[in-house]
Amino acid sequence: MKRFVWLCGIMLASHIAGCASLNTSTGTAKEQIDYWLDRQEYGKALAVVTDSKNSPSPAIPNLQETQEKINAHIASYEQQVIAKAEKAAATNDWGTAFDVYRDALSRVPDSTPLQQGERQLIQRHAEHLQSLELERLIAKGEWTFKDLETSKVAEANKSNSWLGRYLLNRKIANAHDLGLELAEYGKSALARKDLPLAKRILPLALNLSNTTEIRALNTQLQEALKPEARKEEEARTPNEPPRIAEKPLPAPRARAEVQTKEQTKEQAREERPATHGQEQKDTKRLMDEFRKACQEKNFVEAQQLMSQLKKQGVDTQEFQQLRKQLASDAATHVKHLIKIGVVHYRQQQYDEALNVWKQAQALDPTNEQLTARIKRVTRVTEKLQNLRTKGGAPQ
């Protein structure tokens, strides 16, 4: 009895499956093509056309027209797929972008535009991943340099214990390896003449590892930057002021009055305190210090000097260029400090994270993201302090 019921179940399932596939296995060739087109199964629709072509009595009378209809559907579908994948990639949703191409190619396996689009997506994904890895490496290098400097200063005030010296030497060795790794990226940037990227990498690599090769790469960088430096120097050089047209001599009768007025003005200038020359010297000194602070990336001092120069009404072309460059460099530095603080925070080094984020906040006081991070890490440290106090742990 059980075997009979089992056989009946198999027959019933086969019957249901046959009914479900009736629409695709029966009907005219035109109905089958419309069925596959509705489901965007373009490869299967083309297979019906191919079978009809190879048949001794074609089931589709107007094969050329049907072929063009399918091709039009495919062309529209290809455009939609490429646009959808591009939109996903633009928002860094790479998984969705790849899934879109995989699904589309399962429907149109021989589509050249889709195959090319997938290859381009793979290349863009690899380049984006490499860029992220480089940014991570730069952030790690900057954090390592700061950590190494801090460790050296801290070790200087301690007794020469073998453990402290051993840990410091390990940090120096790690910094050396990281500097060599960064130098390879800097060397590649120099080779393809990507000077902005080389300026970010090679000086940092030299701070981490003062080797002959890295010094040579930095020398090459300075040589490559000379034309750019000359252009900046030429832009800073003030143009020769236009000549003022000479006024015609006044009439003999009015000449005495003009001379009297000029003598009065001259006497007034002589009676004023001789402070104008000193103000110019002070402004020039502040401008020199501001230029130097910008070049040395001393952002806090540069911002303070910029405020003083603005109060004095300085509005030269060089000053405006330095202001724009300072704003750009400071914003980049703030982003790097935020990343370094995130690394500290994830490693539960909350005091270090707070210190780094406060440095960033000094450069960008209105940054709401920084304010939120500082509040969060402050709450964490306060809770930890309360737990230590309640538990009687040593401070």
Side-chain angles (χ1 to χ4, degrees):
M1 184 65 182
K2 290 182 179 179
R3 180 176 295 180
F4 177 73
V5 173
W6 180 70
L7 289 173
C8 290
I10 293 177
M11 292 174 65
L12 181 61
S14 301
H15 178 72
I16 293 173
C19 292
S21 61
L22 185 63
N23 288 334
T24 61
S25 60
T26 61
T28 64
K30 183 177 182 303
E31 289 173 345
Q32 292 180 26
I33 290 173
D34 291 339
Y35 176 84
W36 293 126
L37 288 179
D38 288 341
R39 285 152 182 79
Q40 294 183 326
E41 295 288 352
Y42 303 110
K44 295 178 180 179
L46 289 173
V48 175
V49 174
T50 302
D51 291 342
S52 181
K53 286 180 180 179
N54 297 332
S55 174
S57 56
I60 304 175
N62 48 352
L63 279 174
Q64 184 64 29
E65 182 180 346
T66 303
Q67 180 78 54
E68 291 176 355
K69 174 184 176 182
I70 296 174
N71 290 339
H73 276 271
I74 292 175
S76 175
Y77 178 69
E78 288 169 341
Q79 292 177 359
Q80 294 174 11
V81 168
I82 293 172
K84 186 176 180 181
E86 286 293 321
K87 184 178 179 181
T91 58
N92 287 331
D93 190 0
W94 297 97
T96 298
F98 281 117
D99 288 342
V100 167
Y101 273 115
R102 292 190 191 102
D103 178 66
L105 286 170
S106 70
R107 300 173 185 273
V108 199
D110 298 328
S111 170
T112 300
L114 293 181
Q115 291 172 353
Q116 291 177 348
E118 186 183 40
R119 286 195 296 269
Q120 292 174 359
L121 180 67
I122 292 172
Q123 182 179 356
R124 286 174 55 194
H125 178 258
E127 292 173 353
H128 181 69
L129 183 60
Q130 184 179 12
S131 175
L132 289 178
E133 286 293 332
L134 179 56
E135 288 296 329
R136 180 193 63 80
L137 191 65
I138 292 174
K140 182 179 178 182
E142 292 175 340
W143 178 85
T144 300
F145 175 63
K146 294 291 184 183
D147 180 60
L148 183 59
E149 290 296 300
T150 303
S151 299
K152 289 179 179 178
V153 173
E155 188 64 25
N157 194 30
K158 294 180 181 179
S159 60
N160 293 326
S161 64
W162 66 270
L163 180 60
R165 190 61 193 172
Y166 168 75
L167 294 175
L168 181 59
N169 287 335
R170 282 191 60 184
K171 289 186 177 182
I172 293 173
N174 291 335
H176 171 74
D177 294 339
L178 186 57
L180 294 178
E181 188 176 357
L182 282 166
E184 288 299 319
Y185 283 98
K187 184 178 180 180
S188 177
L190 272 181
R192 61 177 183 270
K193 300 187 183 303
D194 188 352
L195 298 183
L197 181 59
K199 285 171 65 176
R200 289 184 61 195
I201 296 175
L202 288 176
L204 176 60
L206 187 61
N207 287 333
L208 296 171
S209 177
N210 189 13
T211 64
T212 303
E213 182 182 0
I214 298 179
R215 287 200 300 271
L217 288 172
N218 275 274
T219 301
Q220 293 179 26
L221 173 63
Q222 296 305 318
E223 290 295 326
L225 290 173
K226 280 184 178 180
E228 181 181 340
R230 281 197 294 268
K231 289 180 181 179
E232 293 179 356
E233 184 65 28
E234 290 173 359
R236 285 199 298 265
T237 304
N239 297 325
E240 183 180 355
R243 294 183 178 179
I244 301 174
E246 295 182 358
K247 296 181 180 180
L249 292 174
R253 184 176 293 179
R255 192 174 299 169
E257 296 179 3
V258 173
Q259 290 177 351
T260 302
K261 290 180 180 179
E262 290 295 332
Q263 291 175 357
T264 304
K265 291 180 181 179
E266 185 65 27
Q267 289 175 0
R269 283 195 294 268
E270 291 175 355
E271 290 174 358
R272 283 192 315 171
T275 59
H276 185 64
Q278 185 62 39
E279 291 176 356
Q280 287 183 334
K281 289 181 181 179
D282 292 341
T283 301
K284 183 179 182 304
R285 177 182 56 80
L286 288 174
M287 191 66 189
D288 291 339
E289 292 176 357
F290 177 54
R291 189 184 303 113
K292 182 180 178 183
C294 290
Q295 292 172 351
E296 295 178 353
K297 309 297 183 185
N298 192 345
F299 300 114
V300 175
E301 181 181 353
Q303 289 180 344
Q304 293 173 352
L305 291 168
M306 182 181 67
S307 299
Q308 295 181 37
L309 289 167
K310 286 172 65 177
K311 289 179 181 179
Q312 293 189 5
V314 176
D315 193 24
T316 62
Q317 182 180 1
E318 179 191 3
F319 180 67
Q320 295 301 332
Q321 290 176 348
L322 288 174
R323 281 184 60 190
K324 291 179 181 178
Q325 188 62 44
L326 174 62
S328 176
D329 291 344
T332 301
H333 187 60
V334 166
K335 291 180 181 178
H336 290 324
L337 289 175
I338 290 175
K339 292 178 182 178
I340 293 171
V342 170
V343 173
H344 282 303
Y345 187 88
R346 289 175 178 171
Q347 294 178 353
Q348 298 183 357
Q349 298 171 346
Y350 302 118
D351 291 336
E352 290 84 352
L354 180 61
N355 181 41
V356 172
W357 285 338
K358 282 187 175 180
Q359 291 179 30
Q361 191 180 46
L363 298 175
D364 190 2
T366 61
N367 191 314
E368 296 180 357
Q369 180 188 14
L370 269 172
T371 303
R373 289 182 184 277
I374 289 172
K375 288 181 179 179
R376 183 164 65 249
V377 73
T378 302
R379 287 196 299 268
V380 171
T381 54
E382 288 175 353
K383 289 180 180 179
L384 289 174
Q385 183 65 28
N386 290 336
L387 289 173
R388 294 191 190 102
T389 303
K390 291 179 181 179
Q395 300 298 317

